[in-house]
Amino acid sequence: MTFPHHRPTDPAPGYGTEPPYALDARIERLRTLAHAEPRLAGVLLYGSWTVGEADAHSDIEAYVFLDDSPESRADAPDGFDGAAFLQQLDPGLPLRLVHTNQFGVLTVVFEDLMRGEFHLVGASTGIPEMDGWRGMVHLPDPERAVLLDRTGQLLPAARALSTLQPPEPAATAQQCADELANWTLMVAHLLARGELARAHAFLGTMVAPQQLKLCRLLRGTTAHWLTPSRALELDLPQADRARYAATTSGVEPDALRRAARNSWGWSRELIEEAAVRWGTGRSAALHRDLAALLGS
């Protein structure tokens, strides 16, 4: 999922400035279809549209709660043809891609290249599970996010997520610090072995997200917590963006090793800053040995 962020009044030119007219129209069509489909108990939008961040490049993302109550005439959730239902969002135009992604989410591509992600879940279990979203999901305007609430249960569940709950600083910073040491050590061993492509992948997928989370925690910009690279250009100072850029490279040996050294150097500074602020622990000896292994 993506989560809320209030953009500055002067966003960077070309960043999020094109109105989401096609998305608006598709959402209204989804609302109409949902109300006409008796097998649905509720529809909840999430993502950029629900927090006022949507632009012409945004996806449509929703939870579609199926009526799985004993008295319902609906089929079991697995029997609902989600693709056929979503096809109605673009009547007369074929969906250009329909598949269930690696997270089990029905994903489609519409004729105009807009992406859509739709979680099809039974209402009896799916709506109560929303209570576990607190601290991860923020719906500042629940009435805007809920397109259908046939049982009267979805809107109260969405309202419970209307207050943003940032991560607990000390415990979260400690987790990030430990993750950074662990995964950077993995990168160091991969580089020593000569697995450059794998080291490159680990830097981007395992190390960088933890760096950005720790950086966001320190800077007080945690709204995009689960997708820490989201709106990075707007959320973090130029100095942090430059440090992040220096941790990236291609797979050429010298450039990749330099990026790994830069990455660990930035991680150490963030970890030290967190330790001073929140009293989190770190092993100075391990940090030095890691730097030596990377050739720093």
Short mmCIF file of all heavy atoms in Angstrom, two decimals, residues 77-133:
data_model
loop_
_atom_site.label_atom_id
_atom_site.label_comp_id
_atom_site.label_asym_id
_atom_site.label_seq_id
_atom_site.Cartn_x
_atom_site.Cartn_y
_atom_site.Cartn_z
N PRO A 77 -15.96 -16.23 -1.85
CA PRO A 77 -15.07 -15.26 -2.48
C PRO A 77 -14.30 -15.80 -3.67
O PRO A 77 -14.11 -15.11 -4.67
CB PRO A 77 -14.14 -14.85 -1.32
CG PRO A 77 -14.99 -15.04 -0.11
CD PRO A 77 -15.86 -16.24 -0.41
N ASP A 78 -13.86 -17.06 -3.60
CA ASP A 78 -13.08 -17.63 -4.70
C ASP A 78 -13.91 -17.79 -5.97
O ASP A 78 -13.38 -17.96 -7.06
CB ASP A 78 -12.50 -18.99 -4.30
CG ASP A 78 -11.39 -18.85 -3.27
OD1 ASP A 78 -10.88 -17.72 -3.11
OD2 ASP A 78 -11.05 -19.86 -2.63
N GLY A 79 -15.24 -17.75 -5.84
CA GLY A 79 -16.09 -17.91 -7.00
C GLY A 79 -16.47 -16.61 -7.68
O GLY A 79 -17.12 -16.63 -8.73
N PHE A 80 -16.09 -15.49 -7.11
CA PHE A 80 -16.40 -14.19 -7.70
C PHE A 80 -15.42 -13.90 -8.83
O PHE A 80 -14.20 -13.98 -8.64
CB PHE A 80 -16.31 -13.11 -6.62
CG PHE A 80 -16.63 -11.73 -7.10
CD1 PHE A 80 -17.93 -11.32 -7.30
CD2 PHE A 80 -15.60 -10.83 -7.37
CE1 PHE A 80 -18.22 -10.04 -7.74
CE2 PHE A 80 -15.87 -9.54 -7.80
CZ PHE A 80 -17.19 -9.14 -7.99
N ASP A 81 -15.94 -13.57 -10.00
CA ASP A 81 -15.09 -13.29 -11.15
C ASP A 81 -14.67 -11.83 -11.13
O ASP A 81 -15.34 -10.96 -11.68
CB ASP A 81 -15.84 -13.63 -12.45
CG ASP A 81 -14.91 -13.61 -13.67
OD1 ASP A 81 -13.84 -12.98 -13.58
OD2 ASP A 81 -15.28 -14.21 -14.69
N GLY A 82 -13.56 -11.58 -10.45
CA GLY A 82 -13.10 -10.21 -10.31
C GLY A 82 -12.75 -9.55 -11.63
O GLY A 82 -13.04 -8.38 -11.85
N ALA A 83 -12.14 -10.30 -12.53
CA ALA A 83 -11.75 -9.73 -13.81
C ALA A 83 -12.98 -9.28 -14.60
O ALA A 83 -12.98 -8.21 -15.22
CB ALA A 83 -10.93 -10.73 -14.61
N ALA A 84 -14.03 -10.11 -14.61
CA ALA A 84 -15.25 -9.75 -15.33
C ALA A 84 -15.88 -8.50 -14.72
O ALA A 84 -16.40 -7.64 -15.44
CB ALA A 84 -16.23 -10.91 -15.30
N PHE A 85 -15.85 -8.41 -13.40
CA PHE A 85 -16.39 -7.22 -12.73
C PHE A 85 -15.60 -5.98 -13.11
O PHE A 85 -16.16 -4.94 -13.46
CB PHE A 85 -16.38 -7.43 -11.22
CG PHE A 85 -16.80 -6.22 -10.44
CD1 PHE A 85 -18.13 -5.82 -10.39
CD2 PHE A 85 -15.86 -5.47 -9.74
CE1 PHE A 85 -18.52 -4.69 -9.67
CE2 PHE A 85 -16.24 -4.35 -9.02
CZ PHE A 85 -17.57 -3.96 -8.98
N LEU A 86 -14.27 -6.08 -13.08
CA LEU A 86 -13.44 -4.92 -13.37
C LEU A 86 -13.49 -4.54 -14.84
O LEU A 86 -13.28 -3.37 -15.19
CB LEU A 86 -12.00 -5.20 -12.95
CG LEU A 86 -11.79 -5.42 -11.44
CD1 LEU A 86 -10.36 -5.83 -11.16
CD2 LEU A 86 -12.16 -4.16 -10.67
N GLN A 87 -13.75 -5.49 -15.71
CA GLN A 87 -13.89 -5.18 -17.13
C GLN A 87 -14.97 -4.14 -17.36
O GLN A 87 -14.90 -3.33 -18.29
CB GLN A 87 -14.21 -6.46 -17.90
CG GLN A 87 -14.47 -6.24 -19.39
CD GLN A 87 -13.24 -5.71 -20.12
OE1 GLN A 87 -12.30 -6.45 -20.36
NE2 GLN A 87 -13.24 -4.42 -20.46
N GLN A 88 -15.96 -4.11 -16.48
CA GLN A 88 -17.07 -3.15 -16.63
C GLN A 88 -16.63 -1.71 -16.36
O GLN A 88 -17.38 -0.77 -16.69
CB GLN A 88 -18.19 -3.52 -15.67
CG GLN A 88 -18.79 -4.89 -15.91
CD GLN A 88 -19.83 -5.22 -14.86
OE1 GLN A 88 -20.98 -4.76 -14.94
NE2 GLN A 88 -19.44 -6.01 -13.86
N LEU A 89 -15.46 -1.53 -15.78
CA LEU A 89 -14.97 -0.17 -15.56
C LEU A 89 -14.63 0.51 -16.88
O LEU A 89 -14.62 1.74 -16.96
CB LEU A 89 -13.74 -0.19 -14.66
CG LEU A 89 -13.98 -0.55 -13.20
CD1 LEU A 89 -12.67 -0.65 -12.45
CD2 LEU A 89 -14.90 0.46 -12.53
N ASP A 90 -14.33 -0.28 -17.90
CA ASP A 90 -14.03 0.25 -19.23
C ASP A 90 -14.90 -0.48 -20.24
O ASP A 90 -14.41 -1.33 -21.00
CB ASP A 90 -12.55 0.04 -19.58
CG ASP A 90 -11.67 1.16 -19.08
OD1 ASP A 90 -12.19 2.07 -18.41
OD2 ASP A 90 -10.45 1.13 -19.34
N PRO A 91 -16.20 -0.23 -20.25
CA PRO A 91 -17.09 -0.98 -21.15
C PRO A 91 -16.67 -0.83 -22.61
O PRO A 91 -16.38 0.26 -23.08
CB PRO A 91 -18.46 -0.36 -20.89
CG PRO A 91 -18.18 0.97 -20.27
CD PRO A 91 -16.92 0.82 -19.51
N GLY A 92 -16.57 -1.97 -23.29
CA GLY A 92 -16.21 -1.95 -24.71
C GLY A 92 -14.73 -1.97 -24.97
O GLY A 92 -14.31 -2.10 -26.12
N LEU A 93 -13.91 -1.82 -23.92
CA LEU A 93 -12.46 -1.82 -24.09
C LEU A 93 -11.86 -2.98 -23.30
O LEU A 93 -12.18 -3.16 -22.14
CB LEU A 93 -11.86 -0.50 -23.58
CG LEU A 93 -12.30 0.77 -24.33
CD1 LEU A 93 -11.74 2.00 -23.62
CD2 LEU A 93 -11.82 0.73 -25.77
N PRO A 94 -10.99 -3.74 -23.92
CA PRO A 94 -10.43 -4.91 -23.22
C PRO A 94 -9.41 -4.48 -22.17
O PRO A 94 -8.72 -3.46 -22.32
CB PRO A 94 -9.75 -5.69 -24.34
CG PRO A 94 -9.38 -4.65 -25.35
CD PRO A 94 -10.48 -3.63 -25.31
N LEU A 95 -9.34 -5.24 -21.10
CA LEU A 95 -8.25 -5.06 -20.16
C LEU A 95 -6.96 -5.55 -20.82
O LEU A 95 -6.93 -6.62 -21.41
CB LEU A 95 -8.51 -5.86 -18.88
CG LEU A 95 -9.72 -5.42 -18.05
CD1 LEU A 95 -9.98 -6.41 -16.92
CD2 LEU A 95 -9.51 -4.02 -17.49
N ARG A 96 -5.90 -4.77 -20.72
CA ARG A 96 -4.67 -5.11 -21.43
C ARG A 96 -3.80 -6.10 -20.67
O ARG A 96 -2.91 -6.72 -21.23
CB ARG A 96 -3.89 -3.84 -21.73
CG ARG A 96 -4.72 -2.87 -22.58
CD ARG A 96 -4.00 -1.60 -22.91
NE ARG A 96 -2.94 -1.81 -23.90
CZ ARG A 96 -2.30 -0.81 -24.51
NH1 ARG A 96 -2.63 0.44 -24.24
NH2 ARG A 96 -1.35 -1.07 -25.37
N LEU A 97 -4.07 -6.24 -19.39
CA LEU A 97 -3.38 -7.24 -18.58
C LEU A 97 -4.27 -7.56 -17.39
O LEU A 97 -4.84 -6.67 -16.77
CB LEU A 97 -2.03 -6.71 -18.08
CG LEU A 97 -1.23 -7.63 -17.16
CD1 LEU A 97 -0.76 -8.88 -17.91
CD2 LEU A 97 -0.04 -6.91 -16.54
N VAL A 98 -4.38 -8.85 -17.10
CA VAL A 98 -5.09 -9.31 -15.90
C VAL A 98 -4.26 -10.42 -15.29
O VAL A 98 -3.98 -11.43 -15.94
CB VAL A 98 -6.50 -9.86 -16.23
CG1 VAL A 98 -7.20 -10.32 -14.95
CG2 VAL A 98 -7.34 -8.84 -16.97
N HIS A 99 -3.83 -10.24 -14.04
CA HIS A 99 -3.10 -11.32 -13.38
C HIS A 99 -3.14 -11.11 -11.88
O HIS A 99 -3.41 -10.01 -11.39
CB HIS A 99 -1.66 -11.41 -13.89
CG HIS A 99 -0.70 -10.48 -13.23
ND1 HIS A 99 0.36 -10.91 -12.46
CD2 HIS A 99 -0.64 -9.12 -13.20
CE1 HIS A 99 1.03 -9.87 -12.01
NE2 HIS A 99 0.46 -8.77 -12.43
N THR A 100 -2.88 -12.19 -11.15
CA THR A 100 -2.74 -12.12 -9.71
C THR A 100 -1.26 -11.97 -9.40
O THR A 100 -0.46 -12.83 -9.77
CB THR A 100 -3.31 -13.38 -9.04
OG1 THR A 100 -4.70 -13.49 -9.37
CG2 THR A 100 -3.16 -13.30 -7.53
N ASN A 101 -0.90 -10.86 -8.74
CA ASN A 101 0.51 -10.58 -8.55
C ASN A 101 1.12 -11.41 -7.43
O ASN A 101 0.46 -12.24 -6.81
CB ASN A 101 0.75 -9.08 -8.35
CG ASN A 101 0.23 -8.56 -7.02
OD1 ASN A 101 -0.04 -9.32 -6.07
ND2 ASN A 101 0.08 -7.25 -6.92
N GLN A 102 2.38 -11.18 -7.15
CA GLN A 102 3.12 -12.00 -6.19
C GLN A 102 2.59 -11.88 -4.77
O GLN A 102 2.89 -12.72 -3.91
CB GLN A 102 4.59 -11.60 -6.20
CG GLN A 102 4.84 -10.15 -5.82
CD GLN A 102 6.30 -9.76 -5.96
OE1 GLN A 102 7.20 -10.53 -5.64
NE2 GLN A 102 6.55 -8.56 -6.45
N PHE A 103 1.77 -10.85 -4.51
CA PHE A 103 1.18 -10.66 -3.19
C PHE A 103 -0.26 -11.18 -3.13
O PHE A 103 -0.95 -10.97 -2.14
CB PHE A 103 1.22 -9.19 -2.81
CG PHE A 103 2.60 -8.59 -2.88
CD1 PHE A 103 2.93 -7.69 -3.88
CD2 PHE A 103 3.57 -8.96 -1.96
CE1 PHE A 103 4.20 -7.14 -3.95
CE2 PHE A 103 4.85 -8.42 -2.02
CZ PHE A 103 5.17 -7.51 -3.02
N GLY A 104 -0.71 -11.84 -4.20
CA GLY A 104 -2.06 -12.37 -4.23
C GLY A 104 -3.12 -11.34 -4.54
O GLY A 104 -4.31 -11.57 -4.27
N VAL A 105 -2.74 -10.23 -5.13
CA VAL A 105 -3.67 -9.14 -5.43
C VAL A 105 -4.01 -9.16 -6.92
O VAL A 105 -3.11 -9.24 -7.77
CB VAL A 105 -3.05 -7.78 -5.05
CG1 VAL A 105 -4.00 -6.64 -5.39
CG2 VAL A 105 -2.68 -7.76 -3.56
N LEU A 106 -5.29 -9.07 -7.23
CA LEU A 106 -5.72 -9.01 -8.63
C LEU A 106 -5.28 -7.68 -9.22
O LEU A 106 -5.65 -6.60 -8.75
CB LEU A 106 -7.24 -9.15 -8.72
CG LEU A 106 -7.83 -9.11 -10.13
CD1 LEU A 106 -7.29 -10.25 -10.98
CD2 LEU A 106 -9.36 -9.16 -10.07
N THR A 107 -4.47 -7.76 -10.26
CA THR A 107 -3.87 -6.57 -10.87
C THR A 107 -4.28 -6.50 -12.33
O THR A 107 -4.24 -7.50 -13.05
CB THR A 107 -2.33 -6.65 -10.77
OG1 THR A 107 -1.97 -6.77 -9.39
CG2 THR A 107 -1.68 -5.41 -11.35
N VAL A 108 -4.68 -5.30 -12.76
CA VAL A 108 -5.11 -5.12 -14.15
C VAL A 108 -4.44 -3.88 -14.73
O VAL A 108 -3.98 -3.00 -14.00
CB VAL A 108 -6.66 -4.96 -14.25
CG1 VAL A 108 -7.36 -6.18 -13.67
CG2 VAL A 108 -7.14 -3.70 -13.56
N VAL A 109 -4.39 -3.85 -16.04
CA VAL A 109 -3.95 -2.68 -16.78
C VAL A 109 -5.07 -2.31 -17.74
O VAL A 109 -5.52 -3.14 -18.54
CB VAL A 109 -2.64 -2.93 -17.56
CG1 VAL A 109 -2.29 -1.73 -18.44
CG2 VAL A 109 -1.50 -3.25 -16.60
N PHE A 110 -5.52 -1.07 -17.64
CA PHE A 110 -6.62 -0.60 -18.48
C PHE A 110 -6.09 -0.11 -19.83
O PHE A 110 -4.88 0.01 -20.04
CB PHE A 110 -7.38 0.52 -17.76
CG PHE A 110 -8.05 0.07 -16.49
CD1 PHE A 110 -7.47 0.34 -15.25
CD2 PHE A 110 -9.23 -0.65 -16.52
CE1 PHE A 110 -8.07 -0.08 -14.07
CE2 PHE A 110 -9.84 -1.08 -15.35
CZ PHE A 110 -9.26 -0.79 -14.12
N GLU A 111 -7.01 0.18 -20.72
CA GLU A 111 -6.64 0.58 -22.08
C GLU A 111 -5.74 1.81 -22.10
O GLU A 111 -4.86 1.93 -22.95
CB GLU A 111 -7.93 0.85 -22.89
CG GLU A 111 -7.69 1.31 -24.33
CD GLU A 111 -7.01 0.24 -25.19
OE1 GLU A 111 -7.14 -0.97 -24.86
OE2 GLU A 111 -6.36 0.62 -26.18
N ASP A 112 -5.94 2.73 -21.17
CA ASP A 112 -5.14 3.96 -21.14
C ASP A 112 -3.85 3.81 -20.34
O ASP A 112 -3.20 4.80 -20.02
CB ASP A 112 -5.97 5.13 -20.58
CG ASP A 112 -6.48 4.85 -19.17
OD1 ASP A 112 -6.19 3.77 -18.63
OD2 ASP A 112 -7.20 5.72 -18.62
N LEU A 113 -3.48 2.57 -20.02
CA LEU A 113 -2.26 2.22 -19.29
C LEU A 113 -2.32 2.57 -17.80
O LEU A 113 -1.27 2.56 -17.13
CB LEU A 113 -1.02 2.84 -19.93
CG LEU A 113 -0.70 2.37 -21.35
CD1 LEU A 113 0.59 3.01 -21.86
CD2 LEU A 113 -0.58 0.85 -21.41
N MET A 114 -3.48 2.87 -17.29
CA MET A 114 -3.61 3.00 -15.84
C MET A 114 -3.58 1.61 -15.22
O MET A 114 -4.21 0.68 -15.73
CB MET A 114 -4.92 3.70 -15.45
CG MET A 114 -5.07 3.90 -13.94
SD MET A 114 -6.68 4.63 -13.50
CE MET A 114 -6.52 6.26 -14.24
N ARG A 115 -2.84 1.48 -14.12
CA ARG A 115 -2.80 0.23 -13.38
C ARG A 115 -3.91 0.20 -12.34
O ARG A 115 -4.35 1.23 -11.86
CB ARG A 115 -1.46 0.07 -12.65
CG ARG A 115 -0.25 -0.05 -13.56
CD ARG A 115 1.03 -0.15 -12.74
NE ARG A 115 1.03 -1.32 -11.86
CZ ARG A 115 0.80 -1.29 -10.55
NH1 ARG A 115 0.55 -0.16 -9.93
NH2 ARG A 115 0.82 -2.41 -9.85
N GLY A 116 -4.33 -1.01 -11.97
CA GLY A 116 -5.29 -1.17 -10.91
C GLY A 116 -4.92 -2.36 -10.05
O GLY A 116 -4.50 -3.40 -10.56
N GLU A 117 -5.05 -2.20 -8.73
CA GLU A 117 -4.80 -3.31 -7.81
C GLU A 117 -6.03 -3.47 -6.93
O GLU A 117 -6.46 -2.52 -6.27
CB GLU A 117 -3.55 -3.04 -6.95
CG GLU A 117 -2.27 -3.01 -7.77
CD GLU A 117 -1.03 -2.89 -6.90
OE1 GLU A 117 -1.17 -2.78 -5.66
OE2 GLU A 117 0.08 -2.90 -7.47
N PHE A 118 -6.57 -4.69 -6.89
CA PHE A 118 -7.83 -4.95 -6.21
C PHE A 118 -7.69 -6.19 -5.33
O PHE A 118 -7.45 -7.29 -5.81
CB PHE A 118 -8.96 -5.13 -7.23
CG PHE A 118 -9.18 -3.93 -8.10
CD1 PHE A 118 -8.45 -3.76 -9.27
CD2 PHE A 118 -10.09 -2.95 -7.73
CE1 PHE A 118 -8.63 -2.63 -10.08
CE2 PHE A 118 -10.28 -1.82 -8.53
CZ PHE A 118 -9.55 -1.66 -9.70
N HIS A 119 -7.84 -5.98 -4.03
CA HIS A 119 -7.82 -7.07 -3.06
C HIS A 119 -9.23 -7.61 -2.92
O HIS A 119 -10.13 -6.88 -2.45
CB HIS A 119 -7.33 -6.57 -1.70
CG HIS A 119 -5.99 -5.90 -1.72
ND1 HIS A 119 -4.88 -6.45 -1.13
CD2 HIS A 119 -5.59 -4.71 -2.25
CE1 HIS A 119 -3.84 -5.65 -1.29
NE2 HIS A 119 -4.26 -4.58 -1.96
N LEU A 120 -9.47 -8.83 -3.32
CA LEU A 120 -10.79 -9.45 -3.20
C LEU A 120 -10.79 -10.32 -1.95
O LEU A 120 -10.13 -11.35 -1.90
CB LEU A 120 -11.11 -10.28 -4.44
CG LEU A 120 -10.99 -9.57 -5.80
CD1 LEU A 120 -11.36 -10.53 -6.92
CD2 LEU A 120 -11.87 -8.33 -5.84
N VAL A 121 -11.53 -9.91 -0.94
CA VAL A 121 -11.54 -10.63 0.33
C VAL A 121 -12.96 -10.73 0.87
O VAL A 121 -13.81 -9.89 0.57
CB VAL A 121 -10.64 -9.93 1.38
CG1 VAL A 121 -9.19 -9.94 0.95
CG2 VAL A 121 -11.11 -8.51 1.63
N GLY A 122 -13.21 -11.75 1.65
CA GLY A 122 -14.50 -11.89 2.29
C GLY A 122 -14.69 -10.84 3.36
O GLY A 122 -13.77 -10.55 4.14
N ALA A 123 -15.88 -10.27 3.42
CA ALA A 123 -16.14 -9.20 4.38
C ALA A 123 -16.09 -9.68 5.82
O ALA A 123 -15.68 -8.94 6.72
CB ALA A 123 -17.50 -8.56 4.09
N SER A 124 -16.51 -10.93 6.06
CA SER A 124 -16.60 -11.41 7.44
C SER A 124 -15.25 -11.45 8.14
O SER A 124 -15.17 -11.29 9.36
CB SER A 124 -17.24 -12.80 7.47
OG SER A 124 -16.41 -13.75 6.81
N THR A 125 -14.19 -11.65 7.38
CA THR A 125 -12.84 -11.65 7.97
C THR A 125 -12.06 -10.40 7.59
O THR A 125 -11.28 -9.88 8.39
CB THR A 125 -12.05 -12.88 7.51
OG1 THR A 125 -12.01 -12.92 6.07
CG2 THR A 125 -12.70 -14.16 8.03
N GLY A 126 -12.27 -9.90 6.37
CA GLY A 126 -11.48 -8.77 5.88
C GLY A 126 -11.73 -7.47 6.63
O GLY A 126 -10.77 -6.75 6.96
N ILE A 127 -12.98 -7.15 6.92
CA ILE A 127 -13.26 -5.88 7.61
C ILE A 127 -12.74 -5.89 9.04
O ILE A 127 -12.08 -4.93 9.46
CB ILE A 127 -14.77 -5.55 7.53
CG1 ILE A 127 -15.17 -5.28 6.07
CG2 ILE A 127 -15.09 -4.34 8.40
CD1 ILE A 127 -16.65 -5.01 5.86
N PRO A 128 -12.95 -6.96 9.84
CA PRO A 128 -12.37 -6.97 11.18
C PRO A 128 -10.85 -6.88 11.18
O PRO A 128 -10.26 -6.32 12.11
CB PRO A 128 -12.84 -8.31 11.75
CG PRO A 128 -14.11 -8.61 11.03
CD PRO A 128 -13.88 -8.10 9.63
N GLU A 129 -10.21 -7.40 10.15
CA GLU A 129 -8.74 -7.35 10.10
C GLU A 129 -8.21 -5.93 9.94
O GLU A 129 -7.03 -5.68 10.21
CB GLU A 129 -8.23 -8.22 8.94
CG GLU A 129 -8.32 -9.71 9.21
CD GLU A 129 -7.92 -10.54 8.01
OE1 GLU A 129 -7.66 -9.95 6.93
OE2 GLU A 129 -7.87 -11.79 8.15
N MET A 130 -9.06 -5.00 9.55
CA MET A 130 -8.62 -3.62 9.40
C MET A 130 -8.15 -3.02 10.71
O MET A 130 -7.36 -2.07 10.72
CB MET A 130 -9.74 -2.76 8.79
CG MET A 130 -10.04 -3.06 7.34
SD MET A 130 -11.50 -2.19 6.73
CE MET A 130 -11.05 -0.47 7.01
N ASP A 131 -8.60 -3.57 11.81
CA ASP A 131 -8.14 -3.07 13.11
C ASP A 131 -6.64 -3.24 13.26
O ASP A 131 -5.98 -2.45 13.96
CB ASP A 131 -8.88 -3.81 14.24
CG ASP A 131 -8.58 -3.21 15.60
OD1 ASP A 131 -8.87 -2.02 15.80
OD2 ASP A 131 -8.03 -3.93 16.46
N GLY A 132 -6.08 -4.23 12.60
CA GLY A 132 -4.64 -4.46 12.64
C GLY A 132 -3.85 -3.54 11.74
O GLY A 132 -2.62 -3.61 11.71
N TRP A 133 -4.53 -2.70 10.98
CA TRP A 133 -3.84 -1.77 10.09
C TRP A 133 -3.36 -0.50 10.81
O TRP A 133 -2.63 0.30 10.23
CB TRP A 133 -4.75 -1.35 8.95
CG TRP A 133 -5.19 -2.43 8.03
CD1 TRP A 133 -4.86 -3.75 8.09
CD2 TRP A 133 -6.05 -2.29 6.90
NE1 TRP A 133 -5.47 -4.45 7.07
CE2 TRP A 133 -6.22 -3.57 6.32
CE3 TRP A 133 -6.72 -1.21 6.33
CZ2 TRP A 133 -7.00 -3.79 5.20
CZ3 TRP A 133 -7.51 -1.42 5.21
CH2 TRP A 133 -7.64 -2.70 4.65
#
